Amino acid sequence: LPGALPLELKALGDAYVKQEFRRHRAVGPADAQRFLREWEVYSEMLWQQATGDRQNSRRKPCFGVHLTEEKLNDFHNEQIGQLQELMQEATKPNKQFHISDDSEYKN
């Protein structure tokens, strides 16, 4: 998704993706396939939302979807905790760090 997400979301997402892939290093083949399939679906959804928002530039961008109760019931307690942490980080009113677009420094 290079260039598709706002810088704040990209930084948060990059850190989260690294953590998730590390957590799934030692899972079995079936779990690994499911994990990769879910990430591919999620990545495609974000891409569609990002490119759609560019076409409707008057609207504030909105990314992700609400999880259904059925989907949430499939999660383990650890996963629910991770989602809660991610939600808290993503919705913090004050950013924890400043991110600048490095394209302004390129000649």
Side-chain angles (χ1 to χ4, degrees):
L1 296 169
L5 297 175
L7 291 175
E8 306 85 37
L9 289 179
K10 181 184 179 319
L12 178 62
D14 287 350
Y16 185 73
V17 166
K18 287 177 188 176
Q19 289 175 358
E20 280 301 295
F21 274 84
R22 285 184 189 125
R23 283 187 186 111
H24 287 82
R25 253 190 233 167
V27 299
D31 289 333
Q33 283 293 89
R34 181 177 178 201
F35 172 75
L36 290 174
R37 191 171 41 252
E38 290 291 330
W39 272 108
E40 288 171 358
V41 168
Y42 181 67
S43 175
E44 179 62 30
M45 177 197 58
L46 287 179
W47 179 255
Q48 289 175 358
Q49 289 173 341
T51 56
D53 282 335
R54 285 184 186 151
Q55 294 170 359
N56 302 317
S57 60
R58 291 183 180 169
R59 289 187 330 188
K60 182 179 178 185
C62 183
F63 296 99
V65 296
H66 292 281
L67 294 171
T68 64
E69 188 173 338
E70 179 182 334
K71 190 84 158 175
L72 286 171
N73 287 336
D74 287 341
F75 289 172
H76 300 285
N77 287 338
E78 180 184 349
Q79 291 170 309
I80 296 292
Q82 291 169 356
L83 279 175
Q84 196 164 14
E85 288 175 19
L86 181 60
M87 181 192 73
Q88 289 170 352
E89 189 67 31
T91 58
K92 279 184 180 176
N94 297 322
K95 304 296 180 210
Q96 296 297 309
F97 46 88
H98 176 72
I99 303 168
S100 62
D101 184 354
D102 65 351
S103 64
E104 65 189 68
Y105 301 107
K106 294 180 182 176
N107 292 334

